[in-house]
DNA sequence: GAAACATTTGTCTAAAATGCAAAATGTCGT
DNA sequence: ACGACATTTTGCATTTTAGACAAATGTTTC
């Protein structure tokens, strides 16, 4: 275990990135929506009262964190979760919320 | 479901706060340490190369998010996790990490 | 109650995140 | 190749955050 100290530290860094990416209401709602299945950017845009460019930034944050992937089909780009396990975490969240 | 729209939104906001609080390497390592059991601030300080005041600020972020609680005993203040379930989320993180 | 200790809070600076608007990119139909 | 469409990227202004230092607070001990 000791010899993985550096590796573990990197991993902590990566984990922090992921948490950070989820630490924004808009991005969280995007992830919740993607839990229903892949979505076109145009659909996501309708959910929020924000500029398209802002939405695009949020999506790239999620993408850089490895939470979502995008795929182009025709004119549209579709986003989906890389790992549906993310959803399990939300139940944990609820617990934390109620324990407050 | 429709009638909970406002409530759900608040909840998303709160969840985002919690994720955000975890979205910093130092705070994440604090939480990982607390997983071993409650810890004195002085012990946590030894783990990092940061000013005591900075550590204290990080602890208050975690506290405001409802992730930890503090208790004074004598001269020292001890922090502990409000909800050990937080740890389960870390396994999810590992999955996301490996899927990248 | 004054000195010593542990932690928090106020204030500042530098760095990073956010959001909007404009320009750039990639795709389709013609 | 051109124009319309969907999305991303870039430039810029504003806000938020991390970190350091000093001052303030609360606790024990003498």
């Amino acid at each position: 275990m000791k010899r993985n100290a550096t590796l573990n530290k990197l991993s902590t860094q990566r984990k922090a990135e992921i948490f950070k990416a989820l630490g924004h209401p808009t991005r969280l709602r995007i992830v919740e929506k993607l839990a229903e299945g892949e979505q076109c950017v145009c659909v996501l845009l309708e959910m929020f009262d924000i500029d398209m460019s802002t939405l695009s930034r949020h999506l790239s944050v999620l993408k850089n964190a490895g939470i979502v992937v995008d795929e182009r089909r025709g004119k549209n780009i579709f986003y989906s979760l890389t790992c549906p396990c993310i959803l399990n975490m939300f139940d944990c969240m609820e617990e934390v919320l109620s324990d407050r």
Side-chain angles (χ1 to χ4, degrees), chain A:
Chain A
M1 276 294 156
K2 195 66 184 295
R3 60 184 234 285
N4 283 336
T6 304
L7 190 65
N8 285 337
K9 194 173 174 185
L10 276 175
S11 177
T12 298
Q13 178 78 37
R14 279 289 335 272
K15 275 188 266 190
E17 268 176 49
I18 296 170
F19 279 121
K20 193 172 180 178
L22 295 170
H24 189 288
T26 301
R27 292 196 290 264
L28 209 43
R29 287 179 64 200
I30 290 172
V31 171
E32 283 170 346
K33 182 63 180 177
L34 294 183
E36 299 172 11
E38 74 170 8
Q39 304 289 336
C40 171
V41 173
C42 56
V43 169
L44 296 173
L45 184 60
E46 288 170 7
M47 294 174 59
F48 308 100
D49 189 25
I50 57 176
D51 196 83
M52 165 84 87
S53 65
T54 300
L55 172 60
S56 185
R57 277 237 165 119
H58 283 309
L59 287 169
S60 87
V61 170
L62 290 172
K63 191 167 144 186
N64 287 332
I67 295 168
V68 303
V69 285
D70 59 343
E71 183 193 334
R72 172 157 232 147
R73 282 209 297 283
K75 278 191 256 185
N76 298 317
I77 299 186
F78 294 81
Y79 280 82
S80 54
L81 296 181
T82 54
C83 176
C85 77
I86 291 259
L87 288 179
N88 299 337
M89 299 206 303
F90 289 43
D91 296 331
C92 284
M93 289 289 92
E94 298 293 352
E95 263 194 76
V96 176
L97 279 171
S98 58
D99 280 14
R100 256 262 271 217

